[in-house]
Amino acid sequence: MSRAVRPGERRGYFGPYGGQFVPETLMAPLAELAAAWRKARRDPEFQREFRGYLRDLVGRPTPLYFARRLSAAIGGARIFLKREDLCHTGAHKINNSLGQILLARRMGKRRVIAETGAGQHGVATAAMAAAFEMECVIYMGRVDMERQALNVYRMREFGAEVVPVTAGQQTLKEAISEAMRDWVTNVRTTHYVLGTVFGAYPYPDLVRDFQSVIGREARRQCFKQAGRLPDRVVACVGGGSNAMGLFSGFLEDPGVALIGVEAGGRRIAPGEHAARFAGGKLGVLQGARTLVLQDEEGQILPTHSVSAGLDYAAVGPEHVWLRDQGRATYHFVTDEEAVNAFDGLCRLEGILPALESAHAVAYVLREGSKWKPEDVVIVNLSGRGDKDLQLVMDWKARHARSGEASSS
Amino acid sequence: MSRIATCFEELRRRGRRGFIAYLTAGDPSLEDTVDIALRLAEAGTDLIELGLAFSDPLADGRVNQASAERALAAGATLGRVEEAVRQIRARSEIPLVLYSYLNPLLARGFETTLHGIAAAGFDGVLPLDLPPEEAEAFQPAFTKAGLDRICLVAPTSTDDRVARIVRGAGGFVYCISRAGVTGAQDRLASDAAEVAARARRFTKLPIALGFGISTPDQAREAARLADAVVVGSALVQRFFEAGNDPARRSEAVRWAAALAEAAHGA
C-alpha cells in the first residue's frame, strides 16, 4: 500500500521535502501515531475493517463515469470522471477520516479534532466521529465558516463542536495552526485527524495511503471500461490529498501523465492566488518542508481562491518531489475558469461539482482540444458542489456588477 | 566563555536561580523593545528572549499571537530586530536569545542569516519547530556562527528523546512545564517537576522552566525546580496594557523586578 523507504532516504522525506518540523511536544505523539499506523497497515483485521466500512458506510467503489457530452464538447478525448462526489458526505475526504478514526480507536483515543477549509473534511470527520462515538471538535476559519455555512450546520448536526478561528486570514492555514495548538495541549487523549497529505510525518504518508483507494479503483475500472490505462489523470491540488490518492494508483505506469491543477485565483500576484508551483519558494510551514507562498522575510503570504478547499499557502511535500522527478506536472486555472467549469459540468452532464473539483474540470476544458480523440483521461471529481451554490451565485452577481461598471 | 554560560556560572556561584524574560521584538515598536529590554536588564533580569514575529506561530497562545501580529504590523523584520539588538548591545551585556520559527530564518539562506544574527549581538537561537531529528542537519550552521542552539524538552519527551535532544543543545535546556502552547496559567503544571528532573538526568547544562508562569509565587515555585524560570506571555500582556504610558511601563518593569526577585530568592 505504501511506498517503502528507499536506501539512503530518510523516513518521512520525499527527496528533500517533508520531514517533521514541529514543536518538541508533538514529536512523541507523532512517533506513536507512525508506529500505530505501521502496525495497522500490516494487520489484515484492520484492513478488512477499513475495507468493510468503505464499502458499506462510504459507498465504495465509486463509479468511473464516461462523460459523453463533456468529451464531445472538448473535441473528442474520452473523459472519465472518478465520482468521489458520490461518497457519503459528498467528497473523497471521508476515505481518510474513516481510516484515521479507526486508527484513533485502536490507539485508545476518544477525542478527535480536525481543521477544515471548505468544510468537507470537517463534515466527514464529524460524521465518522458520530458513527464511532467520539468527541469531535472542528477548527474552521471564520471567513470559511461564512462562505461554507451549510457545512457548518452539517457538522453541528453530527454533534461536533465547530470552533471559529479568528487569527490572521481566518481560513484553512489558521485552522490548521489552531488544531495543532489543541493537539499540543490535549495530546494524551486526542487524535488530530489532519485532512490532507500535509504536515509532519506520518501524515503525508498516512493520508495518501487512506486515499490510495481512489487510484486503485480508477486503474481497475479504466482497464475494464476503456480497455487500457489512461493517458492522463487530472486532479485539483490544495494540500493535495485527492490528487495523491488518484496519482498513487498510476505511479508505476510511466505512460500515464499525472496532472495537478492549482488555484490561480484572480491572477498570479502575491495574495491573489494559491498556485504554489507558480509562486512558491522552498520553506517550512506547519510541520513540512515544501513549496510555500511567502514573502522575502519568510512570512507566509495571504492566499486567495474562490474555492475554500484550495485556499492554502503550501502544498503536500510528495507533490513537489513528483514535480522534481518529472513524474507529475502542475498547472493552474483562474477563479473564472473554475466557475465556468462548474457551470459547464452542470449543463453538460447534470453533475454539480465542488468548486475545488471544478478546477480539474476547467483544466480539461481549456487543454482538452489539444488531445487526440482516442486519448483516455480520468478527472477526479473529488466532491460535490451543493455547498458552493450560494458562493457561485454571489460570485456571479459581483462579477456581473463589476463587468457593467468596467464597460460603462 | 559565552554570555549565556557566564550568566549561569555567575548565578551558580552566587547560589541563585535566574530570571529569563520573553518579549516579542517590535511590539509595540522596536524603539520600545530596546527601552524595555534595557530596563528589564537593570531590574534584575538575567537573560532576555526576543521573539521574531511570524505570521503562523503555532506553538504560541493568544497573547503571543496578538503580540506577533502587532509586531509584524509595526514592521519588525529580522533586519530591524538586529538593528534593535545592536542598540541594546551598545549599552548592555545581558545575554540575548532569538526565539523564532524556522521559516523566517530560511528565507534568505540559513547560514547567512545565522551569521547576521550573531553579528548583531545575539548569543543563541531557540528554534520552536526544529526537533533534534531535523536539527542535526542545521547544527553546523549554528556552530559556525558561534550561536548556542537552545533546545526544548517537553512533558511528552521520552528518555530516549531527551538524550537525543541534549546532544546538540547549547546554552541552557528549556523545559516546557506543560503540554500546550505559551500562555499564562493559574498554577504551575504538575508536569513541571518531572520534566525538569528528567532533563537534569541527561545534561549538565542549566535547566530553564517556562510556559504558563505568570506570578512571582509561580516563579519562586518553578525556580526551586530548575536553574532559571522563563516568563513570557504574562510579561508581554503587562507591557501591552501599559502601552506608551511611562508610569504604567515603569509599573510593568517593577512587576518584572518582583518576578526576578522571586526567582533569585528561591
Side-chain angles (χ1 to χ4, degrees):
Chain A
M1 204 162 168
S2 171
R3 185 190 57 123
V5 176
R6 299 186 187 102
E9 193 174 285
R10 282 180 58 196
R11 178 176 278 161
Y13 269 85
F14 308 95
Y17 311 113
Q20 293 183 299
F21 295 89
V22 293
E24 171 60 22
T25 310
L26 289 180
M27 288 303 284
L30 284 169
E32 182 195 357
L33 177 61
W37 168 232
R38 285 196 291 272
K39 207 167 151 210
R41 197 167 50 186
R42 287 192 305 266
D43 180 350
E45 185 49 44
F46 180 83
Q47 294 300 338
R48 197 159 37 240
E49 186 181 36
F50 181 47
R51 274 196 303 269
Y53 285 117
L54 280 178
R55 185 188 63 224
D56 302 332
L57 182 57
V58 176
R60 303 203 73 91
T62 59
L64 185 71
Y65 176 69
F66 173 56
R68 185 176 47 84
R69 293 192 63 215
L70 175 66
S71 301
I74 65 161
R78 286 180 290 163
I79 311 296
F80 290 83
L81 302 174
K82 181 59 177 160
R83 297 292 308 276
E84 292 300 297
D85 60 314
L86 296 178
C87 287
H88 177 40
T89 68
H92 75 290
K93 291 291 186 187
I94 196 166
N95 303 323
N96 169 54
S97 295
L98 169 66
Q100 286 202 43
I101 281 183
L102 291 177
L103 191 59
R105 194 172 62 158
R106 274 170 73 105
M107 295 170 73
K109 312 266 175 166
R110 298 302 311 269
R111 177 175 181 268
V112 291
I113 56 171
E115 84 294 344
T116 197
Q120 293 302 111
H121 174 58
V123 167
T125 302
M128 294 300 91
F132 293 95
E133 217 183 333
M134 289 195 187
E135 186 188 341
C136 180
V137 177
I138 306 291
Y139 291 95
M140 190 170 188
R142 199 170 56 184
V143 169
D144 286 340
M145 284 179 73
E146 281 163 21
R147 55 181 171 176
Q148 302 287 353
L150 196 61
N151 274 342
V152 175
Y153 291 123
R154 290 167 81 196
M155 287 183 264
R156 288 180 174 151
E157 201 59 37
F158 289 137
E161 182 189 349
V162 183
V163 179
V165 180
T166 55
Q169 210 186 335
Q170 310 187 16
T171 59
L172 180 58
K173 175 167 65 77
E174 289 77 20
I176 293 177
S177 286
E178 202 56 28
M180 289 179 85
R181 291 185 189 108
D182 179 318
W183 199 32
V184 105
T185 307
N186 301 296
V187 74
R188 289 175 175 115
T189 58
T190 298
H191 172 69
Y192 177 19
V193 185
L194 183 60
T196 190
V197 287
F198 195 69
Y201 175 79
Y203 282 108
D205 296 58
L206 178 74
V207 177
R208 178 209 49 219
D209 285 353
F210 284 135
Q211 293 294 0
S212 64
V213 63
I214 303 172
R216 277 199 310 280
E217 284 179 8
R219 191 174 188 276
R220 193 171 63 233
Q221 291 165 324
C222 194
F223 269 117
K224 197 168 166 201
Q225 294 170 232
R228 63 180 180 87
L229 281 170
D231 298 284
R232 296 172 194 84
V233 300
V234 184
C236 66
V237 181
S241 72
N242 89 80
M244 271 323 302
L246 181 63
F247 292 179
S248 65
F250 301 95
L251 285 177
E252 308 304 325
D253 301 314
V256 180
L258 311 177
I259 297 168
V261 184
E262 296 187 288
R266 287 184 282 258
R267 63 200 171 95
I268 302 300
E272 299 283 314
H273 70 101
R276 291 66 44 103
F277 285 96
K281 283 192 306 189
L282 185 60
V284 167
L285 182 64
Q286 294 174 333
R289 183 175 212 180
T290 184
L291 281 181
V292 182
L293 294 170
Q294 55 183 308
D295 68 14
E296 64 280 8
E297 295 290 334
Q299 303 294 341
I300 310 309
L301 284 168
T303 52
H304 163 80
S305 169
V306 69
S307 134
L310 304 182
D311 198 352
Y312 183 57
V315 64
E318 192 168 6
H319 284 294
V320 191
W321 183 228
L322 289 176
R323 192 274 314 259
D324 281 9
Q325 291 180 305
R327 184 63 194 89
T329 59
Y330 296 84
H331 312 266
F332 61 84
V333 303
T334 63
D335 285 351
E336 191 174 1
E337 288 174 302
V339 172
N340 289 340
F342 180 93
D343 288 347
L345 199 67
C346 286
R347 309 262 155 80
L348 288 167
E349 299 291 349
I351 294 172
L352 176 63
L355 271 175
E356 290 78 16
S357 322
H359 282 69
V361 177
Y363 177 82
V364 169
L365 286 172
R366 189 178 73 197
E367 304 294 325
S369 62
K370 301 170 191 164
W371 300 336
K372 293 195 286 287
E374 64 273 22
D375 282 1
V376 172
V377 178
I378 295 176
V379 177
N380 203 9
L381 205 66
S382 55
R384 71 178 191 214
D386 309 55
K387 68 183 175 64
D388 294 319
L389 281 167
Q390 184 67 48
L391 205 143
V392 169
M393 276 160 55
D394 294 346
W395 190 93
K396 286 179 181 170
R398 214 162 44 242
H399 284 256
R401 275 201 306 277
S402 66
E404 283 160 23
S406 62
S407 61
S408 60
Chain B
M1 213 185 324
S2 74
R3 287 190 196 93
I4 297 175
T6 308
C7 162
F8 280 101
E9 179 55 34
E10 176 70 9
L11 284 167
R12 198 191 57 80
R13 203 178 51 73
R14 297 171 68 181
R16 276 182 157 196
R17 311 296 166 89
F19 171 64
I20 299 175
Y22 168 90
L23 298 171
T24 306
D27 174 24
S29 77
L30 285 158
E31 294 70 32
D32 290 301
T33 299
V34 173
D35 175 60
I36 294 169
L38 289 170
R39 292 171 69 177
L40 286 176
E42 282 167 22
T45 304
D46 298 291
L47 187 151
I48 295 173
E49 288 179 13
L50 285 179
L52 179 63
F54 181 50
S55 53
D56 297 86
L58 59 83
D60 282 295
R62 300 211 179 285
V63 167
N64 282 359
Q65 287 176 50
S67 177
E69 281 182 22
R70 290 191 296 269
L72 283 174
T77 61
L78 180 56
R80 296 192 60 207
V81 171
E82 288 172 354
E83 180 49 41
V85 165
R86 278 190 283 272
Q87 290 173 31
I88 297 170
R89 266 290 162 262
R91 292 164 60 189
S92 172
E93 283 297 301
I94 190 164
L96 295 169
V97 167
L98 181 71
Y99 169 109
S100 180
Y101 292 84
L102 192 57
N103 202 56
L105 305 180
L106 296 174
R108 287 197 174 86
F110 194 67
E111 251 191 59
T112 317
T113 300
L114 285 200
H115 181 78
I117 288 166
F122 277 109
D123 305 293
V125 177
L126 193 169
L128 269 295
D129 47 0
L130 191 66
E133 285 80 351
E134 304 297 347
E136 282 157 18
F138 291 85
Q139 185 56 43
F142 286 95
T143 309
K144 205 170 158 190
L147 288 167
D148 284 326
R149 181 166 63 81
I150 314 300
C151 293
L152 295 165
V153 170
T156 51
S157 306
T158 56
D159 282 3
D160 287 354
R161 294 199 55 76
V162 177
R164 187 169 184 178
I165 289 164
V166 300
R167 273 205 296 275
F172 59 95
V173 172
Y174 190 137
C175 290
I176 300 171
S177 64
R178 64 181 159 79
V181 295
T182 58
Q185 298 285 304
D186 293 338
R187 56 196 171 80
L188 192 63
S190 54
D191 284 333
E194 198 188 322
V195 67
R198 188 177 313 147
R200 186 80 82 194
R201 288 211 309 278
F202 290 92
T203 183
K204 293 198 160 50
L205 286 173
I207 307 289
L209 199 53
F211 276 40
I213 297 166
S214 57
T215 65
D217 282 347
Q218 285 175 357
R220 190 174 301 111
E221 197 186 338
R224 291 191 182 121
L225 305 169
D227 301 302
V229 294
V230 188
V231 178
S233 302
L235 212 49
V236 167
Q237 189 62 23
R238 291 260 168 164
F239 282 109
F240 168 62
E241 284 166 8
N244 288 320
D245 181 318
R248 295 194 64 194
R249 181 172 293 178
S250 297
E251 198 180 307
V253 172
R254 279 196 297 279
W255 185 72
L259 290 168
E261 203 184 308
H264 291 154

